[in-house]
Amino acid sequence: MNTLRIVIVEDEAATARNLAHLLRCADDGITIITALSSVTDAVNWFNLNPDAYDLLFMDIRLADGVSFDIFKKAVISRPVIFVTAYNNYAIQAFKNNGIDYILKPFDEQEIQTALQKYKCLFLSGQKAPGTLQIGLLLEQINQLTRSYKKTFLVHFREKLVPVETVKIAWFYTANEIVYGHTTDDRQYIMEYTMEQLEQQLDPHLFFRANRQFIINRYTIAEVDFYFNGRLSIKVKPEPPERILISKARVPEFKSWMNS
């Protein structure tokens, strides 16, 4: 089996390590050539090593600029899979050798799907990202650029009250009722299921901790180790019961927190 040589451009070291791990798990024929953390480092490396890799995984926002600047200063002829927490760069990504666009926090299945797309496009004799069917490409861009819910209109004391999504510390379900608890310690009954909320909330801001809780990253005060490889999450304001992350979901939670 031929080795697939991959370069990672990512300024968050923990995310780069996690991505490298998932890539090796997805395909034992993968070799990570290098991990570059800035526009400057990437430009220098690609100019010196134009043919030393087959595929590029690239974050978009780097510490010293956006990765699209790399294309202005170095010739990159290999395909790129963009990995980012921001969903408003999709069209520009596909104009810069992009064959896929993965939103953080990512998981192993998304990485495997992206690799499979690369293999179908480039290892089957096709030579350019333009061979993607335009209908599928536009559908993917439309999904990635969708807007997330910014405000909830909730019932409160015989009135309808607008509550900004960013001010909700956590969502909680008990006895088939879903509550939204705000950072100023107010609680409202939500007219959505937890599953419906997951589809409407920005995944960069909110994480489904377990069946009962969806938490806002900016309300997390502390993360403690718990029994059997689980994590205990302390948030403010304090919820009615302990928030636990299962052992199986710990890697996903860590990736999300590091994004």
Side-chain angles (χ1 to χ4, degrees), residues 188-229:
Y188 304 95
I189 294 177
M190 311 302 297
E191 296 183 349
Y192 301 92
T193 66
M194 296 291 273
E195 288 69 29
Q196 289 171 333
L197 287 173
E198 275 192 282
Q199 298 301 313
Q200 299 182 66
L201 296 170
D202 184 346
H204 179 67
L205 182 60
F206 289 94
F207 183 81
R208 181 73 182 267
N210 51 46
R211 294 183 65 182
Q212 290 180 287
F213 284 96
I214 297 175
I215 55 178
N216 183 328
R217 71 162 63 237
Y218 296 113
T219 63
I220 297 174
E222 193 173 288
V223 179
D224 296 326
F225 292 106
Y226 201 66
F227 300 108
N228 299 323

Side-chain angles (χ1 to χ4, degrees), residues 117-127:
K117 179 180 288 188
Y118 164 78
K119 292 175 182 177
C120 288
L121 286 172
F122 291 89
L123 303 187
S124 62
Q126 299 187 53
K127 298 298 182 183

Side-chain angles (χ1 to χ4, degrees), residues 7-20 34-39 41-42 56-63 67 70 82-85 104 106 258-259:
V7 170
I8 295 172
V9 179
E10 168 63 63
D11 63 344
E12 296 175 348
T15 302
R17 289 195 298 270
N18 183 46
L19 176 57
T34 187
L36 307 165
S37 61
S38 69
V39 171
D41 289 347
L56 176 59
F57 276 78
M58 179 181 284
D59 192 4
I60 290 181
R61 287 197 180 181
L62 303 172
S67 58
I70 299 169
F82 289 93
V83 183
T84 180
K104 298 178 182 178
F106 50 81
N258 281 314
S259 67

Side-chain angles (χ1 to χ4, degrees), residues 94 98-100 117 121 126 128-137 140:
F94 284 109
I99 63 169
D100 209 343
K117 179 180 288 188
L121 286 172
Q126 299 187 53
T131 55
L132 282 168
Q133 295 181 18
I134 189 64
L136 294 177
L137 177 58
Q140 183 176 31

Side-chain angles (χ1 to χ4, degrees), residues 65-191:
V66 293
S67 58
F68 300 125
D69 293 338
I70 299 169
F71 294 84
K72 300 174 184 177
K73 302 175 182 178
V75 176
I76 297 178
S77 58
R78 303 295 194 269
V80 183
I81 295 173
F82 289 93
V83 183
T84 180
Y86 303 92
N87 63 9
N88 56 337
Y89 289 106
I91 295 176
Q92 193 171 355
F94 284 109
K95 289 181 178 179
N96 289 280
N97 291 24
I99 63 169
D100 209 343
Y101 187 106
I102 302 172
L103 287 175
K104 298 178 182 178
F106 50 81
D107 58 29
E108 185 173 355
Q109 182 57 54
E110 290 174 301
I111 299 300
Q112 289 178 336
T113 300
L115 286 172
Q116 186 59 39
K117 179 180 288 188
Y118 164 78
K119 292 175 182 177
C120 288
L121 286 172
F122 291 89
L123 303 187
S124 62
Q126 299 187 53
K127 298 298 182 183
T131 55
L132 282 168
Q133 295 181 18
I134 189 64
L136 294 177
L137 177 58
L138 291 175
E139 180 182 351
Q140 183 176 31
I141 291 175
N142 180 61
Q143 291 175 349
L144 290 168
T145 56
R146 70 183 186 274
S147 60
Y148 296 104
K149 201 165 185 66
K150 295 179 176 62
T151 306
F152 287 93
L153 198 61
V154 299
H155 288 276
F156 184 70
R157 296 179 181 175
E158 300 182 356
K159 295 181 180 180
L160 289 174
V161 179
V163 178
E164 290 183 74
T165 305
V166 294
K167 294 182 179 178
I168 299 178
W170 38 265
F171 295 91
Y172 169 70
T173 182
N175 301 318
E176 299 184 358
I177 299 175
V178 175
Y179 302 93
H181 201 100
T182 63
T183 53
D184 58 358
D185 215 14
R186 296 186 180 186
Q187 185 160 283
Y188 304 95
I189 294 177
M190 311 302 297
E191 296 183 349

